[in-house]
Amino acid sequence: MLQGWTPPGLWALLLWLPGLLASGSDFKHHRYEEMVRALFAVQNECPYITRIYSIGQSVEGRHLYVLEFSDNPGIHEALEPEFKYVGNMHGNEVLGRELLIKLAQFLCEEYQARNQRITRLIHDTRIHILPSMNPDGYEVAARQGPEFNGYLVGRGNAREIDLNRNFPDLNALMYYYEKNNGRNHHLPLPDNWEQQVEPETLAVIKWMQSYNFVLSANLHGGAVVANYPFDKSRYPRIRGRTTHADTPDDKLFRKLARTYSYAHSWMHKGWNCGDFFDEGITNGASWYSLSKGMQDFNYLYTNCFEITLELSCNKFPPESTLPGEWMANREALVSYIEQVHHGIKGMVYDENNNPIRKAEISVAGINHDVTSGVDGDYFRLLLPGTYTVTASAPGYLPSTSTVTVGPAEAIQLHFYLKKAKKQNLKQKPHKSKRNLSSHKTSLKLSPR
């Protein structure tokens, strides 16, 4: 198997496979070795705008390969946002995996064809594509095949752990902080968290820590709907009913979900798989409450806004349906990436024009802050409107500006922070509840 191979070994193999990208464009289900070859074929075809890297390994030692698109692969450029797609989190939900492989081929081909929209997107965005977060589970499901695949066979990883119930439960901490005026972003992880998660989950969290992702989506199957945070309800379920668990950015998340739904051929129509979702979107908790999920973790631990895309009624659709599914999702996949360029972005400097990392960017009326990255740049997704924005950092006086956001490109808003005199320094109280109690979540026959 290729799971233990390093990229140089794969490059050597690809030298003997000319034209693989063209043949890889055929619609089919890709087993692990085939998926890896398809990804490296894209890099071989478009070497100047792509890079492949591994974020870790699965339980059974398969690399979790990411294909990056950028005009400067491997480099974060200040004020250029980072975006990610994650597929195949549940091993038996395979359409997202195939769509992301096809998306990679499409981006490469359209860039070569000088498609202005795709060229601009790759020049202005750093796009990371992880086609399979759960390659071990996929192999279990694939051995059964589309005709006989069970609803749960291959869903979990090699240890049969559901990876979308495996992230640290920061919702419980957030709901506690809401009542006690605590932190609203970058919540602390519980003690010994690395020992409490699976290798695939650990790899993804380390990935999040390494890149300042701004926007993301993870692709699932079993329903057709764009699902947005929070997934976990604030309140216990009462008489079979669930309640909407809104984030401070609820209106923005609805807009992001609608962007995908309406660009999709039929998701926005609402009636799919025997269910009805108005406009093809739903709040996670109002659908059903889910603990320890990945999209909530993104929002509460990082600067990244993530939604969950349910893309097919059939979790393991026949190969004959893949071309139609690609055409239904192609525009939506591209349109959603473009949403990373809305709102405001800028640099945070000190008086000597040195960038300030981890400065907090607060928007009046929205109780959720983001922070600047290692290069001092920040990105804050916002709907059109006028906002009062404040940048602050320990040891500096805060700076506040008013900005009007339009419907098009992100507005640039830079901040220059002055050093505070010692008598003006006020240490912010840091409230944390590091020892989160863990609890077992019963496995539901559910898509997410």
Side-chain angles (χ1 to χ4, degrees), residues 217-235:
N218 70 90
L219 282 56
H220 288 247
V224 178
V225 65
N227 175 95
Y228 59 90
F230 284 126
D231 268 336
K232 182 174 180 178
S233 176
R234 286 180 171 81
Y235 312 104

Side-chain angles (χ1 to χ4, degrees), residues 128-317:
H128 305 255
I129 298 174
L130 173 62
S132 181
M133 181 179 167
N134 185 4
D136 296 353
Y138 177 89
E139 294 302 308
V140 173
R143 283 195 287 269
Q144 285 195 328
E147 295 82 7
F148 307 103
N149 184 251
Y151 202 79
L152 291 176
V153 175
R155 176 185 176 93
N157 68 352
R159 296 173 181 157
E160 299 186 358
I161 301 298
D162 187 331
L163 299 179
N164 207 28
R165 312 289 193 282
N166 190 237
F167 285 77
D169 185 2
L170 298 185
N171 294 77
L173 182 58
M174 179 63 193
Y175 296 157
Y176 170 81
Y177 281 167
E178 284 182 340
K179 300 175 182 178
N180 296 276
N181 198 31
R183 287 178 65 86
N184 61 24
H185 65 96
H186 292 79
L187 304 188
L189 297 177
D191 293 335
N192 302 317
W193 69 272
E194 293 188 23
Q195 285 72 49
Q196 300 170 21
V197 300
E198 292 298 297
E200 297 89 348
T201 310
L202 177 63
V204 168
I205 293 176
K206 294 289 188 181
W207 187 34
M208 294 177 187
Q209 293 172 335
S210 300
Y211 295 85
N212 186 21
F213 292 115
V214 179
L215 182 63
S216 173
N218 70 90
L219 282 56
H220 288 247
V224 178
V225 65
N227 175 95
Y228 59 90
F230 284 126
D231 268 336
K232 182 174 180 178
S233 176
R234 286 180 171 81
Y235 312 104
R237 187 168 178 167
I238 301 174
R239 297 180 183 177
R241 300 177 61 186
T242 53
T243 56
H244 186 105
D246 59 317
T247 68
D249 288 285
D250 188 66
K251 292 181 180 179
L252 174 60
F253 271 118
R254 288 174 186 258
K255 188 252 188 179
L256 292 171
R258 281 195 296 265
T259 295
Y260 198 94
S261 177
Y262 278 94
H264 187 280
S265 294
W266 57 80
M267 183 183 289
H268 61 279
K269 296 180 180 179
W271 284 109
N272 293 292
C273 317
D275 296 317
F276 178 75
F277 297 100
D278 189 28
E279 296 188 287
I281 69 173
T282 185
N283 173 258
S286 79
W287 187 7
Y288 62 85
S289 185
L290 182 161
S291 294
K292 302 183 179 181
M294 185 166 69
Q295 73 172 12
D296 287 8
F297 182 85
N298 269 272
Y299 184 69
L300 296 174
Y301 183 64
T302 76
N303 289 321
C304 189
F305 289 54
E306 178 170 287
I307 66 172
T308 300
L309 300 171
E310 303 285 350
L311 298 177
S312 62
C313 303
N314 191 337
K315 292 192 171 193
F316 207 126

